[in-house]
Each structure stands twice: as C-alpha cells, then as structure tokens.
Amino acid sequence: MKMLAETQFDQPGITMLLETMDEVALNALGFGVIGFGKDGRVQRYNTFESKAAGLSVERVLQQDLFMVIAPCMNNFLVAQRFVDAHESGQTLDDTINYVLTLRMRPTKVKLRLLSDPLADLSYVLVYRL
C-alpha cells in the first residue's frame, strides 16, 4: 500500500497501476485522477481532484466527463485524443500543459492523458502547477 501512495504523476506504466488501486490508494495520491469508461462516463474520481475542482465525488460519478463535468476539455487537445486512441486501438500516454477554466479562475495544470486497449478505463491525471 505504501508504494501505491508514493505513485508519481509521471510514473511509467501508471495506467495498469491505477486499474488495480483500491479507493484508499487512489485517494492518497497527490494529484487528480479521473477514470472514465468507453462511454465517457466517470467511474473513478479521487478526493484530491474533488477538493481541487470543488465537485463532490457523488456529483461526478456516472456523469459524462467531456459533456457534463469538464466541457473545457472537450476539444482536439484532450477529448479527441481519446477518440483517436480508441478508434486506432493504440495506447495513449501524453502529457500536455493546459489551463482549466470551467467554474474556477484559470488554473495552469499538466494533464496526463492515458488510454490502453487492455485497460477497462481511460484516465485524465491532473497536476496543478
């Protein structure tokens, strides 16, 4: 468990690690984690991201990530990369500089976009700068 709590934002192979983490380990991470299914609905949302975004876990789970929760990420920089990865069956692991704007003052972050054809969920990791 201690190793999981020390998981870093830029850790290689983190997608499969996230897949096996229980909620306690997920909530111990020092960055935001949003896991969503192929239908775009949020399945996992850690407390770090909940506090930073000001959205309760209960409010976010089962909602469409790009249409309801974070429409500011519904663009070619973020959402389209997941669509392209799913359609091509390719692994996605890109980190981009981004500015979150919805329901908050503009906040500079790094987003790590993760999708693996072997994983059940895709992930957006959010590291606030």
Side-chain angles (χ1 to χ4, degrees):
M1 185 69 73
K2 184 175 181 181
M3 183 188 100
L4 294 177
E6 296 172 356
T7 302
Q8 300 297 309
F9 176 82
D10 57 354
Q11 184 166 325
I14 196 169
T15 302
M16 290 307 170
L17 187 57
L18 292 168
E19 290 280 295
T20 61
M21 275 186 186
D22 62 20
E23 295 306 311
V24 172
L26 195 72
N27 290 332
L29 296 174
F31 52 87
V33 177
I34 307 168
F36 59 100
K38 292 183 177 27
D39 62 357
R41 295 189 182 273
V42 177
Q43 302 297 316
R44 303 190 84 190
Y45 190 72
N46 73 345
T47 53
F48 186 96
E49 186 58 23
S50 174
K51 290 177 183 173
L55 298 171
S56 71
V57 174
E58 295 77 21
R59 180 176 172 188
V60 170
L61 292 179
Q62 298 304 318
Q63 298 297 315
D64 189 291
L65 175 60
F66 298 114
M67 299 299 285
V68 177
I69 301 304
C72 64
M73 288 194 253
N74 192 6
N75 55 45
F76 72 98
L77 292 172
V78 182
Q80 188 61 48
R81 288 187 181 182
F82 286 102
V83 170
D84 293 346
H86 287 230
E87 288 178 355
S88 68
Q90 299 292 311
T91 298
L92 172 66
D93 186 352
D94 286 337
T95 300
I96 61 172
N97 292 318
Y98 203 74
V99 178
L100 297 175
T101 57
L102 188 67
R103 297 183 200 112
M104 62 179 73
R105 65 183 166 92
T107 304
K108 291 182 180 180
V109 298
K110 282 190 182 284
L111 296 179
R112 188 167 176 194
L113 314 176
L114 300 165
S115 180
D116 187 318
L118 300 176
D120 290 334
L121 301 177
S122 297
Y123 292 90
V124 175
L125 307 184
V126 183
Y127 185 85
R128 282 156 174 84
L129 301 174

